[in-house]
Amino acid sequence: MFRFVHIADVHLDSPVGCRTEQARCRLRTASYEALRAAVDLTLEREAAALLIAGDLFDDETISFQSERLLCSQFARLDVPVIYVTGNHDPGGRKSRALNISWPDNVHVIADGAPDRVTVQQSGRTVGAVTGIGHRDYQIGDNLIKRLSGSESDVPEVAVVHAWIAGVRSGEWHSKYAPAAEEDLHAGFDYWALGHVHRGQQVGSLPAYYPGNIQGRNSGEVGPRGGLYVEVDQGGAHAEFVQLAPVRWEVVSLNNVRDVVNWDRLSAKVAREFEQVLPGGRGLEWILVVELSGQCPLYKQLMDEDELQEVERGLADEIGVLEVQVRSAVTRPLAVDDYRGGTHPLGAILSVLDQAREDHQMLKSLLPDELARSSVQDRSEYGRRLLRGLDEEAVARMVGDKS
Amino acid sequence: MRLTDVQVRAFGPLKDVDITGISGDFVVVYGPNEAGKSSLFELICALLYGLYKDSSLLYVPWNDEALELSGDMQLRSGEKVSVYRKWASSAQGRVTVGGVRKSIANKTLSFAGHIPRELYRELYMIDCERLRFPPEGWDSLQELLMSGLGLSFLRPASQVASELVDEAKKLWSRHGNAKTKDKAYEQELKRLRSERRQAKQNDDELRQCVVHKQQLEDELTLVRNDLAEVRTVLKLIPLSKQIKRIDDLRARAGDMKEIEGLPSDPRQALAELVNEEDKLAERLEQLEEDADSQQRIISEVHAQYQKVLEQSSDIRSLIADSTGLLQAIASEQQLLLDEHGQQTRAQTAVQDLAPTAELTEIADRVVDINWTELKHQVSRWREVNIQRAGAQQELCHHHAVSGALLPPIGVFIMLSLASVAAGIISGLLGVQWLVAPALTAAVLSSAGGLFSWWAGQRREMAVEQRRTAEDKYNRLEQQWQARQGKIRELLTGIPVSPVYLEGPDEDLVIVIREARDCIERWRSVREQVQQNREIVDSGRGRIREIAVACGLSEKDDVAVLVAQLSEALDDANTAKGRVVQVEESLQSIYREINQLNDGLVRIRAERDKLEKALSAIGDGNLQQGSMSVQERWEAFVLASQLEEELLREGHDIDGVRGEIERLAVCSDMEYQEQMEMKYGALEGRRDQLLAEISTVAARIDALVDSETVAVIDGRINHMLELRRDVQERRDRLVLLSQAVAIGDRLFREQHQPDVLRRAGEYLRIITGGRYDSMSIEEQSQRVVLYIHDAGGRLLPVDKPLSRGTRDQVFLALRLAICDHLDEGYEPLPLTLDEVLINWDQERRQQGIQILKSAAAARQVLLFTCHRWLARELVTAGAELIELTS
């Protein structure tokens, strides 16, 4: 039996989506801890190898300290560490991947040519790993097609950083080294994949994305970690092991009409948090609270400074590392009461409604010079800006007189 | 729509009030204060739009009674509508149209739907305040009227748009010098990017420092190795010199096996040997003289005490035994006296036992008696004798008992027989008085018979017992005689007195024991006398024999002789002791003489050997050989001392030699100076390297602690996010401001012309044709309202236009807006509460006229507490409804 640990997308030193300095620092150390945990897992399970399917770090930003951590952690293992490069850490000339003084047990596969490593345990060959790495930042070729399995008596494992069409959350990732599910041929007993940060099995194939090892922003919610894999004649069995010490989670509150004070808001968020908490007891949390709808506390929840206070208060109250409140609450006004009315507000709401439907109207509303000059699609951007604008229009027009 | 009837069950102060039969469209509702005019004013809105917290529900009765009202209305089409509304914890409502009733809960009546409740309250419910020219000026009012159709619940759109633009400008501006939030973030981003560059440089520098430090440490290792080598060389230079000297000395000493065993100072050694030989010879001579002298002393002593010494053991034995001898001689007479006394006592004791016997005849027989057997037999005899006496007494007793029982038996037999006979006789004879005694006698006789029978039995037993006693006695008698015979047998040969033999009891034993004891004592004393005599005779002969042997007179007394012998022996022993000492001294002298002789031989041989060896080394010259040996020894010793010194200092000489050879260490001064200079240079370089490493390490520590690119990237990302939010917010605000402006413009374009036309009509009526129309002009930031006089002049509705005129314009605009809004819809009633009261007579009349003309299009209800105003209105054609207090 070939036993190994499969991780990917560690993204050491990549920027994180935290609002506080404290949380940013914690996430940085959390990535370190997650990597240590992966090494610990390899040791505890007496795995024969540690496979890293790309994006071990963000090439540009990796610090000397992180390099030192990588070397010291991998040196703890007396089994091979097989690391293929990804789009973030390609093995080109200026890349750090090939310039780090790796310990002897680390096999870096940084080229676009397949490389096969036989893995031994207790003096006998237990498996073979064939990997292919990214040489450049943006690989458009199908790397998987270049891999071919070998006829051998031991399990054959492929490790590659690639985008597979049709996988969940695949749309959030660049289509580097694109491949189709059909390309994952039967020449290998297990496909150790990387790139897509959401952990999943590809169809019903023995092909797995472990997901990234530590969530870095609100798009990477839920448990994060690696896979402990056992491959033998009977097939592959992959067990997800949570390695991330900090977990992101999103709580959406759409009905906040009754949130008339801080205690109500805190209790409501805490209640929602309790729903997700059992899946990750003992972890630290970064909680994204999405608030929408009409709320009596709209003023506080729309004010930037007050919002920061609310976030700090919620974090303390719930006992999490950070709370990010995404507030889209509005004043408790019945917008529809004004819609169609014979007054300017009715006309304004009508204009906004028309802008949603009429490209010309939207175009006329958008400023010629957008503050967000980088916007490619003005119409889409405009439609995004229109979200919730009716409520704001009513609030502003009615003012405090209502 | 015309309100025709109102029924109030409870609404504020109004309770069970019915107002019916309102038929006109121009109505004045008069009532004193507290009559419920304001409640009725609010009630009309409640009938149309329902019950709300901010208005009609303020009129819920305080006694918790349900708010309840209803009203009948007639639409322009003639259709009648009845409305019922109630509030009891929740709103209830129903409407009846054409006989069909349906629930409307709290909804607005359908024909009033074109005017929102807020708008109705704002435009159609005019109180004194709302008709008063606003104190803040015309700008806000004309904005309100022209843009918002007088809706005070809405903020002026242009103001909102302006605020949005201002707010947006605070967030972002295209102008580089604007102090916007976006600029602040941009500055912060610039600063962060600068920090990022610095962090990147720090990271590069950190990596370079680490490499540099490694290089420095590698060089330091090399320098330290060189330093260690040079330090070793410097240590080896003096050692090298010393080892060279040792080697020279070893060469001078040559092969030490050649002079092995030879002294390091041969001449001194030879002189010492000669000196020692002389001393030994002189000592030998002296000892030989001493030995002769001692020998002579021994001979003299031997000659004088030879005989005594030869007998010395006998003399000592004699002296030791002489005390007993002298005592034996002294006790000889006394022992003889004792023997005689004991003999006499033994004779007396023997005669007591056997008066006819002589002591000497039976002494042995008495002593030889088997004493134990005798005592046993005497004891047994005495026991048997006692038993025999007892048996004899028992026999006598049995004889007596058997004889005594015979007479009573006979008497009782006789008496029994006599009594029986007497009884029989008395019976036969019939003698009554004899019967009783006879019977008594018979009874007694019977008892006697029984007793006689018992006594007979006892006698037979006594006879039997006597016979047994007799047997026992006879048996003991035989034993008694047998014991007596045994005792006689034991005393056979001794003519014992018959008295003792008849009754051989304890007395016999005592007598015999006394005799035996006396005989034994006599014999003992006799043996002592015999032994004493033998001792005296033997001792005396032996003394005399020794005395003769020692040359003394044998005739002297034994005691004198013993004293003389003792004295002679002491003298001889004293002399003998002296001779022993002399002999020991002599032995010592002889041993020393032997040793001296041996020493002389050895020394002479040694000297010869040394001289030969030295001569051989000196090629036949003893002197030269001695000098050569001495020099070689000196070189050898010095070399050894130097080596020992090195060893004491802990040097492994072979190792040192190896190191010197390996490092090619020279011992010359120039080489040493070169090495010292090199050492100094290396030390300098080492210190320099250590300082550099320390500096680099400190720099590394500082750099390691500095923020990384990733950390700053996190902040940049956060800042970018904030900036993006700000930019989006700005774009959103601008978009909204545009929407507000466009919406406002469209609204005005849709409504303002008709409103102005209608307002112009009202104004013409109010002013009696002085002003006949209105127009507006949108200037940069405001809308300006103009009125047109009959001459076609345009006058802005602002100062210096009189307040009265402005109030009239205000009223005309309000009425025009209402007409405009109701155009095409059911016209809603206009309610006015205490208006016109502050107007002067002329203006009031004009105002009444305009309201009357307005009533042509809709029902107009004026509420007042002033009777004079009510009269004026009635005079002008208004229908009066009077409320009582």
Side-chain angles (χ1 to χ4, degrees), chain B residues 707-778:
Chain B
E707 288 180 323
T708 63
V709 171
V711 170
I712 296 167
D713 274 352
R715 285 190 205 133
I716 288 173
N717 275 18
H718 179 52
M719 195 52 61
L720 284 171
E721 200 173 306
L722 291 175
R723 194 180 181 201
R724 190 181 63 235
D725 289 348
V726 161
Q727 289 173 345
E728 280 193 15
R729 179 79 185 138
R730 178 264 173 186
D731 291 343
R732 184 182 163 93
L733 290 175
V734 172
L735 187 147
L736 184 58
S737 75
Q738 293 280 66
V740 169
I742 291 172
D744 184 45
R745 181 170 55 78
L746 291 174
F747 181 80
R748 278 190 279 113
E749 285 172 0
Q750 182 184 356
H751 298 286
Q752 274 182 2
D754 185 56
V755 169
L756 289 173
R757 182 184 58 77
R758 292 174 188 271
E761 283 293 315
Y762 281 119
L763 187 63
R764 186 180 58 77
I765 296 168
I766 294 172
T767 61
R770 184 177 176 188
Y771 300 107
D772 58 4
S773 63
M774 289 186 197
S775 65
I776 60 167
E777 182 182 316
E778 289 189 29

Side-chain angles (χ1 to χ4, degrees), chain A residues 313-393:
Chain A
L314 280 174
D316 290 343
E317 188 77 17
I318 301 168
V320 297
L321 187 59
E322 180 178 282
V323 169
Q324 298 181 4
V325 176
R326 295 187 183 162
S327 176
V329 295
T330 59
R331 187 174 167 185
L333 288 169
V335 175
D336 290 339
D337 287 354
Y338 297 97
R339 204 180 296 282
T342 313
H343 43 65
L345 179 55
I348 292 164
L349 292 173
S350 174
V351 167
L352 291 173
D353 285 341
Q354 195 180 346
R356 290 187 183 93
E357 306 295 330
D358 183 359
H359 174 70
Q360 284 304 320
M361 176 58 85
L362 178 60
K363 190 178 174 186
S364 66
L365 293 181
L366 279 173
D368 295 336
E369 191 173 7
L370 291 173
R372 284 212 63 195
S373 55
S374 59
V375 166
Q376 302 289 323
D377 187 341
R378 284 174 64 92
S379 297
E380 187 186 333
Y381 179 61
R383 277 192 290 276
R384 184 148 60 85
L385 294 180
L386 284 170
R387 285 180 205 148
L389 209 57
D390 288 357
E391 287 80 1
E392 186 164 2

Side-chain angles (χ1 to χ4, degrees), chain A residues 13-21 24-25 28 60-65 67-68 96 302 304 324 326 337-338 341-345 347-348 351-352 354 361-362 364-367 369-373 381-382 384-389 392-393 396-402, chain B residues 114 116 118-119 147-149 151-157 160 163-164 167 172 174 181 185 196 200 203 206-207 210 703-711 713-715 717-718 721-722 724 727-736 738-740 742-744 746-747 751 821:
Chain A
D13 281 346
S14 66
V16 295
C18 298
R19 292 184 177 172
T20 61
E21 193 67 32
R24 276 195 288 273
C25 289
R28 181 168 182 251
E60 172 67 14
T61 55
I62 186 168
S63 62
F64 172 78
Q65 294 91 320
E67 287 184 14
R68 201 160 56 179
R96 289 296 307 163
M302 291 305 288
E304 192 178 325
Q324 298 181 4
R326 295 187 183 162
D337 287 354
Y338 297 97
T342 313
H343 43 65
L345 179 55
I348 292 164
V351 167
L352 291 173
Q354 195 180 346
M361 176 58 85
L362 178 60
S364 66
L365 293 181
L366 279 173
E369 191 173 7
L370 291 173
R372 284 212 63 195
S373 55
Y381 179 61
R384 184 148 60 85
L385 294 180
L386 284 170
R387 285 180 205 148
L389 209 57
E392 186 164 2
R396 283 182 178 272
M397 284 298 291
V398 173
D400 295 328
K401 295 181 180 178
S402 174
Chain B
H114 64 287
E118 289 83 358
L119 189 56
S147 300
L149 300 181
L151 300 174
S152 66
F153 72 95
L154 287 181
R155 299 177 66 232
V160 170
E163 283 174 4
L164 287 166
E167 205 174 315
W172 182 87
R174 60 191 299 181
K181 204 157 193 176
Y185 285 149
R196 189 185 190 280
K200 182 66 180 160
D203 192 65
L206 176 59
R207 293 170 197 277
V210 169
L703 290 170
V704 164
D705 290 339
S706 67
E707 288 180 323
T708 63
V709 171
V711 170
D713 274 352
R715 285 190 205 133
N717 275 18
H718 179 52
E721 200 173 306
L722 291 175
R724 190 181 63 235
Q727 289 173 345
E728 280 193 15
R729 179 79 185 138
R730 178 264 173 186
D731 291 343
R732 184 182 163 93
L733 290 175
V734 172
L735 187 147
L736 184 58
Q738 293 280 66
V740 169
I742 291 172
D744 184 45
L746 291 174
F747 181 80
H751 298 286
L821 292 176

Side-chain angles (χ1 to χ4, degrees), chain B residues 417-605:
Chain B
L417 291 174
S419 302
V420 172
I424 296 167
I425 292 167
S426 59
L428 290 174
L429 292 178
V431 182
Q432 293 295 323
W433 58 273
L434 277 175
V435 173
L439 288 173
T440 304
V443 170
L444 289 174
S445 297
S446 297
L450 286 170
F451 177 74
S452 297
W453 175 79
W454 173 80
Q457 289 293 319
R458 289 282 298 167
R459 186 175 179 278
E460 281 178 14
M461 284 173 63
V463 170
E464 183 63 30
Q465 285 173 348
R466 188 188 67 193
R467 226 177 267 127
T468 304
E470 279 173 355
D471 291 344
K472 183 180 176 184
Y473 177 78
N474 291 334
R475 192 174 68 249
L476 290 170
E477 179 65 23
Q478 286 172 2
Q479 288 178 1
W480 186 85
Q481 287 175 359
R483 295 294 170 194
Q484 196 175 46
K486 284 268 185 185
I487 291 167
R488 285 174 189 275
E489 191 179 337
L490 286 170
L491 295 175
T492 304
I494 301 171
V496 179
S497 172
V499 176
Y500 293 119
L501 290 175
E502 287 299 321
D505 55 6
E506 281 295 319
D507 290 343
L508 176 61
V509 174
I510 291 167
V511 170
I512 291 173
R513 185 163 59 196
E514 180 64 24
R516 189 193 65 176
D517 292 346
C518 286
I519 290 167
E520 284 180 345
R521 280 196 294 273
W522 169 60
R523 282 185 172 180
S524 172
V525 172
R526 193 174 63 182
E527 283 176 9
Q528 284 179 14
V529 168
Q530 189 63 32
Q531 287 170 356
N532 194 61
R533 186 171 296 143
E534 287 173 0
I535 289 167
V536 170
D537 291 348
S538 169
R540 189 173 285 145
R542 192 169 156 227
I543 288 171
R544 283 177 179 158
E545 187 181 344
I546 292 169
V548 169
C550 293
L552 298 175
S553 172
E554 64 175 333
K555 294 179 181 174
D556 287 336
D557 183 65
V558 169
V560 173
L561 284 172
V562 168
Q564 288 176 346
L565 284 169
S566 177
E567 187 178 352
L569 184 60
D570 289 343
D571 292 345
N573 281 335
T574 304
K576 187 183 175 186
R578 196 163 65 246
V579 166
V580 168
Q581 288 176 350
V582 170
E583 282 178 344
E584 287 175 356
S585 172
L586 193 57
Q587 289 296 320
S588 174
I589 288 167
Y590 283 143
R591 277 197 300 276
E592 192 174 352
I593 286 169
N594 288 337
Q595 287 173 355
L596 287 170
N597 281 327
D598 292 344
L600 271 173
V601 170
R602 183 179 51 78
I603 287 168
R604 281 168 188 155

Side-chain angles (χ1 to χ4, degrees), chain B residues 269-281 603 607:
Chain B
L270 281 172
E272 284 174 358
L273 285 171
V274 169
N275 188 28
E276 193 175 351
E277 186 181 345
D278 291 347
K279 281 182 183 174
L280 288 175
I603 287 168
R607 191 182 65 183

